[in-house]
Amino acid sequence: MLILLILAAACFVGAYYYKRLISQQADAECLHGEVVSFQTYRGWRGQEGWKYYEIIAEAGGRHYKIRTDNTKAKKYAKQHDITFYVPVGAVGDEEFVGGQSAAQYSSNLLQSAQMQPHNGTARPTAVYLYEDRKKKWQFWFLIAAGIGFSAMTVLFVIDALTRS
């Protein structure tokens, strides 16, 4: 019974955060650009086997760095047209390791295949891929699951009270 209550609470908390992400994404600007650099790394958040991708895209004369663990990002290694979202207040050009410009950063990546981010972990960026957008059905699924777990908890409590 306690497990059901914890699951219901986790669903409602998750739905709250999904709703917040969806509202933040509503204000984001959709940009279409070209992939300048594509790199694959291992070790997301200290886990050795986890793969993540770093994409540098150019749109509207500015460069944006996108880090994602979405496996759908692999297609950008060959496909150079990219759609991504930039939240309000995010900037391009100077969001690179060591304060390098986009041109310096992409040329360094191409010259050195062994270049890794600091201490082997990725830092999340505000810019995200079209594939990483949170969907409204995910929010409603979490709400429905939370209601279902809550109803099951109530039924178990009523059953326990009527048996005694």
Side-chain angles (χ1 to χ4, degrees), residues 77-96:
K78 295 180 181 160
Q79 176 183 341
H80 294 292
D81 294 331
I82 188 169
T83 302
F84 59 96
Y85 289 89
V86 180
V88 175
V91 294
D93 292 334
E94 295 304 321
E95 293 185 7
F96 298 99

Side-chain angles (χ1 to χ4, degrees), residues 61-73:
R62 300 192 75 161
H63 291 81
Y64 298 91
K65 179 171 58 174
I66 305 163
R67 284 194 180 146
T68 182
D69 61 345
N70 192 335
T71 56
K72 293 180 182 177

Side-chain angles (χ1 to χ4, degrees), residues 86-108:
V86 180
V88 175
V91 294
D93 292 334
E94 295 304 321
E95 293 185 7
F96 298 99
V97 177
Q100 298 172 333
S101 69
Q104 291 170 335
Y105 186 76
S106 59
S107 68
N108 286 346

Side-chain angles (χ1 to χ4, degrees), residues 83-153:
T83 302
F84 59 96
Y85 289 89
V86 180
V88 175
V91 294
D93 292 334
E94 295 304 321
E95 293 185 7
F96 298 99
V97 177
Q100 298 172 333
S101 69
Q104 291 170 335
Y105 186 76
S106 59
S107 68
N108 286 346
L109 282 178
L110 295 175
Q111 290 173 2
S112 170
Q114 285 81 22
M115 184 176 174
Q116 294 286 326
H118 291 104
N119 70 10
T121 60
R123 292 181 302 272
T125 57
V127 181
Y128 55 94
L129 293 175
Y130 172 78
E131 291 84 3
D132 287 336
R133 276 186 74 92
K134 302 297 181 209
K135 313 290 188 292
K136 287 190 179 184
W137 70 265
Q138 294 168 324
F139 165 75
W140 289 111
F141 176 78
L142 285 173
I143 292 290
I147 291 171
F149 287 129
S150 298
M152 288 172 58
T153 303

